[in-house]
DNA sequence: TCGCGCATCCAAACCGCTTTGGTGATGAGT
DNA sequence: ACTCATCACCAAAGCGGTTTGGATGCGCGA
């Protein structure tokens, strides 16, 4: 059932039917009612491709999600981020187009998205320091919002980010207040912007209290359970082991805990763990009282906000960059306690 | 840069240019070369919407992924599944359209996808027992492939699935061989077809050895760390506790392990754990030697196969249902050992 | 020399919608 | 009575491709 058929069925012109359905004023309310009713009973839905071609709007948002070529890992936060964004798109009638690209030819992906014209805007995932994608997208003239920020990129751009530096600074302060001086940082991959900011927050907090920064207590990599475990185990074997761990994700935290317990220590009593918690649906940090003390910020909410910002930008044809900085809350759980003298 | 411009630039008609680029024979090889070259230098890429409208093919595959309305959880396997499928789509020039729907109005989503005509086929996720979506899709006349199967659905349909029943039957056998008689099953949500098949494999194996099935040792739910932990803890407090746990995911297994260790027991020595392992990128089961003994099957590979099957079906206009049954391998790790008399 | 097949190219229709630029009827204002 | 909005509708021209149904020119056999 297409527009022409529906129109002839109603004894109207395609023009009028189109206008009736799209809420234009120059159509009698009575006929509008007739049209909408007929549309429903005949289960008419305008053909997306035709509509897109005619209006020039793709009614779709592209998500280019990079897949690490070394690790072949899709960051698990994408699932939640995307479900948040998807909610918003659905309400506005937008589709979500996912492109999964090996992180070494993302540029081609963006160019193609642009020249094929099948998206109205793009969400940029996993920004790195001085990410060249910003400049690229600026050049392409396609609206976009970055989930995260790019240290080192001067030009203004739209972003939604958690205040990672502040969160990790506060977290480090919290551990320092508990008497910890040997605080390890198990971070995300060190080219990622969020990891850099967390490192900055951590080292700023240490510096503010004149606690020396020990490179042996800092590790970065893919945020998996194994990473947390291996890092914790190795560090606990140091001559002067840490009394607290900060980790970048719950998975790493779980791994660290395993490493701690393997060493015969108890989390929260002998050793503290403080992690960032993205509030992933399938990775809850306890049910009521959190297991891990954490800096918490919902990545799904970030997805919603990115989506809203982008749609807003598209709707208003307003290219002026905007931004939103989300503060993580510091939630105290069972995994932290006062520092103990050398186990 | 569009076709008309490119054509006039070359002093040719749009027809010829189109044919040259699409490999039709009625064009001189010399001019074809000229055309392709010009297309490259001018960075010409045919407008997707126009192409779609003209050909009637959307060049996109829809993934409808349900979000549990009670739990608001996106199953973490989607990330990996989708990255597998995405690989295949990318190679064939297809887009992937993600629709995230609360699981109570999936039907509307499918109908809309169909009538808006923006996909050529659909991947059905998370099939339930007697899933009514099969009948719906059959009626819609849209090619589809189910990731998993639907017990209780008579009509033939295309699917790719792991042999869950066989996997869990073998796993249970393995534990029985080690002398375990009190084997607990921490399963996925019990309306999910895969969970049912695993339960069936488990109970068949027990029945074959005349080991009674104890409902107290069976629990089902969202496969999270918390689920594994809570279930293990509760069961270990039973008067006659289990000596082995089977879990449906690594997260559940990690939770179960935590429950075990909280109870002062050691995994692999006092209590065994055997889990299913989907080989998710960010949730590796150890690096070389697996931590958990597991039934292993790559969900990313399943994604690739689903995608290939669907594209093949679309390309050949062949609606005859096909299917692919993947066998999980049983990999022995450190988490299982002979049954111990009552800790 | 004529007719025919073949190799190349093109004009125009079409895909299904939106949107521009109308038309005819009605009613108010002068 | 005439002009002029206003209302309600429509025909036709896009959007940017593909595809149908020719056109043109050339070589070749009869």
């Amino acid at each position: 059932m297409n527009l022409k058929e529906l129109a002839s069925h109603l004894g109207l012109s395609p023009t009028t039917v189109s206008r009736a359905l799209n809420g234009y004023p120059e159509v009698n309310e009575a006929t509008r009612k007739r049209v909408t009713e007929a549309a429903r009973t005949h289960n008419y839905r305008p053909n997306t491709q035709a509509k897109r071609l005619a209006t020039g709007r793709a009614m779709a948002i592209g998500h280019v999600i990079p897949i690490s070529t070394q690790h072949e890992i899709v960051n698990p936060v994408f699932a939640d981020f995307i479900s948040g964004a998807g909610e918003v798109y659905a309400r506005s009638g937008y589709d979500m187009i996912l492109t999964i690209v090996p992180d070494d030819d993302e540029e081609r992906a963006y160019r193609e998205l642009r020249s094929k014209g099948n998206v109205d805007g793009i969400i940029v995932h996993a920004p790195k320091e001085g990410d060249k994608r910003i400049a690229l997208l600026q050049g392409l003239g396609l609206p976009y919002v970055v989930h995260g920020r790019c240290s080192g990129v001067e030009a203004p751009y739209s972003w939604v980010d958690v205040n990672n530096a502040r969160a990790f600074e506060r977290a480090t302060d919290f551990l320092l207040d508990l008497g910890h001086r040997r605080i390890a940082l198990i971070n995300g991959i060190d080219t990622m912007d969020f990891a850099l900011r967390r490192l900055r927050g951590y080292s700023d907090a240490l510096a503010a209290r004149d606690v020396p920064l020990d490179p042996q207590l800092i590790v970065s990599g893919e945020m998996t359970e194994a990473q947390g475990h291996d890092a914790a185990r190795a560090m606990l074997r140091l001559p002067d082991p840490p009394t607290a761990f900060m980790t970048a994700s719950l998975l790493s935290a779980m791994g660290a805990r395993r490493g701690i317990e393997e060493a015969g220590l108890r989390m929260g009593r002998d050793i503290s763990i403080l992690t960032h918690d993205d509030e992933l649906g399938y990775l809850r940090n306890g049910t009521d009282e959190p297991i891990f003390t954490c800096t918490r910020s919902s990545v799904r909410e970030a997805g919603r906000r990115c989506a809203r910002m982008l749609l807003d930008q598209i709707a208003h044809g307003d290219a002026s960059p905007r931004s939103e900085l989300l503060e993580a809350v510091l939630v105290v759980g069972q995994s932290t306690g006062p520092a103990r003298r050398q186990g």
Side-chain angles (χ1 to χ4, degrees), chain A:
Chain A
M1 171 62 63
N2 60 19
L3 185 65
K4 209 187 296 181
E5 285 168 28
L6 184 64
S8 78
H9 196 83
L10 282 160
L12 289 168
S13 77
T15 310
T16 305
V17 175
S18 170
R19 302 200 130 143
L21 293 174
N22 290 320
Y24 282 75
E26 59 266 66
V27 49
N28 190 314
E29 276 311 317
T31 53
R32 189 196 300 281
K33 197 161 227 168
R34 252 181 70 215
V35 171
T36 49
E37 220 133 275
R40 196 181 21 257
T41 64
H42 290 75
N43 197 29
Y44 166 75
R45 207 116 19 178
N47 178 294
T48 316
Q49 330 300 347
K51 190 166 196 156
R52 286 173 177 176
L53 180 56
T55 57
R57 286 175 311 147
M59 292 304 284
I61 302 296
H63 285 239
V64 178
I65 80 179
I67 182 169
S68 150
T69 29
Q70 315 109 358
H71 308 76
E72 286 245 316
I73 288 183
V74 175
N75 189 322
V77 306
F78 286 133
D80 263 57
F81 181 90
I82 275 173
S83 89
E87 264 178 48
V88 176
Y89 298 149
R91 262 199 292 279
S92 306
Y94 275 76
D95 282 339
M96 172 162 63
I97 292 189
L98 231 66
T99 315
I100 294 172
V101 219
D103 54 10
D104 50 1
D105 75 344
E106 279 192 281
E107 176 165 342
R108 208 184 44 75
Y110 289 110
R111 290 196 178 285
E112 221 164 66
L113 238 34
R114 165 64 184 177
S115 51
K116 295 201 308 180
N118 48 357
V119 300
D120 294 322
I122 286 182
I123 299 281
V124 177
H125 288 281
K128 299 189 180 54
E129 187 185 17
D131 207 308
K132 65 251 159 301
R133 288 178 291 174
I134 307 298
L136 171 65
L137 282 164
Q138 205 70 45
L140 290 179
L142 209 55
Y144 64 92
V145 169
V146 182
H147 177 213
R149 275 173 289 177
C150 305
S151 308
V153 170
E154 299 298 326
Y157 55 92
S158 294
W159 52 265
V160 171
D161 198 6
V162 174
N163 196 341
N164 281 301
R166 179 88 189 103
F168 268 50
E169 189 182 345
R170 286 182 61 208
T172 310
D173 263 338
F174 175 81
L175 290 171
L176 288 167
D177 286 344
L178 285 171
H180 295 276
R181 288 299 173 271
R182 299 284 292 163
I183 302 174
L185 176 62
I186 302 178
N187 209 351
I189 294 180
D190 56 7
T191 53
M192 290 296 157
D193 190 78
F194 77 89
L196 286 172
R197 289 178 192 273
R198 288 177 184 178
L199 174 60
R200 202 175 311 150
Y202 162 85
S203 46
D204 283 357
L206 291 183
R209 305 248 197 141
D210 293 320
V211 176
L213 190 124
D214 183 351
Q216 284 195 296
L217 296 188
I218 298 179
V219 76
S220 56
E222 213 61 85
M223 302 173 288
T224 64
E225 206 265 352
Q227 177 219 22
H229 170 262
D230 297 353
R233 189 169 61 172
M235 289 182 189
L236 288 175
R237 287 177 181 166
L238 291 174
D240 189 8
T243 62
F245 288 97
M246 289 175 58
T247 64
S249 85
L250 267 177
L251 280 173
S252 302
M254 286 163 61
R257 159 188 243 172
R258 186 159 62 86
I260 288 171
E261 285 171 356
E262 267 177 20
L265 300 168
R266 224 182 85 201
M267 176 179 84
R269 194 193 55 189
D270 306 316
I271 297 256
S272 290
I273 295 185
L274 195 161
T275 185
H276 185 73
D277 176 3
D278 293 299
E279 296 198 67
L280 305 185
Y282 56 93
L283 250 192
R284 288 277 135 155
N285 183 8
T287 32
D288 3 276
E289 189 191 348
I291 296 169
F292 294 99
T293 297
C294 62
T295 56
R296 175 180 286 176
S297 175
S298 164
V299 74
R300 184 178 303 211
E301 179 60 21
R304 278 190 279 254
R305 302 222 183 190
C306 278
R308 273 199 284 265
M309 184 182 286
L310 183 54
L311 291 189
D312 201 61
Q313 216 155 272
I314 292 169
H316 295 79
D318 177 11
S320 66
R322 52 196 86 179
S323 60
E324 212 166 323
L325 188 60
L326 310 173
E327 292 296 339
V329 292
L330 180 53
V331 181
V332 179
Q334 310 161 21
S335 67
T336 46
R340 288 212 166 186
R341 289 287 105 225
Q342 215 80 317

